[in-house]
């Protein structure tokens, strides 16, 4: 029931994290995720609260976080774990944020995680890309657009005047839901304009 209220990407993420959890359960406990959750519910019903918390955090949540951390960067681990918490709620198991802070250790973000591409790197990528991709990368690199905004553009959103290109980004495409204009470099224009004519 809860799944239907989630966006498509949230549904995909949720399904994905459940698959991961299922793999984790069979690897670590030799059981299905369903069996592990049923067992957790039994512990919650029949044991003292600290026994249940120990089981929830030390036997399930933390090892699962550690498992996710082997594959994902710190930001994604947190996102996937939040979907996992939603799934547990459906089984009547709630992990509060305060408890997470006390009982769970998440991987730390490394300082040098984000790398801003230099012009030479962009050029190197463009040199080996297909013509269509090269056009996309040049437009992205020279405008202020996000990839999600760029791929939704229609021909009518792009205005060419005296070899100069103005791009109107419609409100629904933007993250802030506000329309705006952007411009691209001469180099990007030179590959985009012939494409528009086609």
């Amino acid at each position: 029931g809860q799944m239907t209220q989630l966006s498509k990407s949230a549904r995909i993420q949720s399904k994905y994290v459940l698959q991961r959890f299922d793999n984790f359960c069979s690897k670590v406990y030799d059981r299905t995720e369903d069996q592990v959750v049923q067992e957790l519910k039994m512990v919650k019903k029949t044991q003292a609260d600290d026994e249940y918390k120990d089981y929830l955090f030390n036997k399930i949540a933390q090892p699962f976080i550690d498992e996710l951390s082997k594959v994902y960067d710190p930001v994604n681990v947190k996102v996937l774990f939040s979907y996992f918490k939603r799934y547990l709620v459906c089984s009547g198991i709630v992990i509060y944020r305060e408890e997470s802070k006390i009982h769970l250790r998440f991987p730390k973000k490394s300082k040098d995680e984000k790398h801003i591409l230099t012009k030479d790197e962009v050029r190197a990528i463009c040199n080996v890309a297909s013509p269509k991709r090269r056009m996309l990368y040049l437009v992205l690199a020279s405008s202020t657009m996000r990839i999600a905004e760029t791929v939704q553009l229609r021909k009518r959103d792009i205005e060419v005047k005296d070899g100069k290109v103005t791009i109107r980004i419609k409100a629904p495409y933007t993250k802030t839901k506000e329309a705006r204009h952007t411009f691209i470099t001469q180099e990007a224009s030179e590959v985009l304009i012939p494409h528009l004519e086609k």
Side-chain angles (χ1 to χ4, degrees), residues 37-100:
V37 171
Q38 291 310 322
E39 202 165 298
L40 179 60
K41 282 161 84 170
M42 277 308 295
V43 171
K44 189 181 180 191
K45 267 202 195 104
T46 58
Q47 309 280 328
D49 194 51
D50 51 358
E51 302 256 334
Y52 157 68
K53 290 279 157 76
D54 177 63
Y55 191 84
L56 172 60
F57 292 112
N58 301 333
K59 302 256 187 331
I60 294 175
Q62 189 62 56
F64 185 45
I65 289 168
D66 297 342
E67 192 67 24
L68 290 172
S69 304
K70 291 177 190 168
V71 188
Y72 299 99
D73 67 66
V75 177
N76 281 338
V77 170
K78 281 208 154 150
V79 171
L80 288 170
F81 190 72
S82 72
Y83 284 112
F84 176 64
K85 287 200 301 192
R86 276 188 194 178
Y87 154 73
L88 288 179
V89 168
C90 301
S91 306
I93 291 152
V94 181
I95 295 178
Y96 297 102
R97 187 177 277 156
E98 290 71 29
E99 292 180 315
S100 287

Side-chain angles (χ1 to χ4, degrees), residues 9 20 24 26-27 57 60 69 72 83 97 105 129 151 154-155 158 165-166 168 174 180-181 186:
S9 72
R20 281 266 161 202
F24 162 79
S26 59
K27 192 168 121 183
F57 292 112
I60 294 175
S69 304
Y72 299 99
Y83 284 112
R97 187 177 277 156
R105 289 175 319 282
V151 295
R154 295 288 165 265
K155 195 171 172 176
I158 301 165
V165 175
T166 309
R168 278 188 305 277
T174 69
R180 64 180 201 280
H181 284 72
Q186 191 61 42

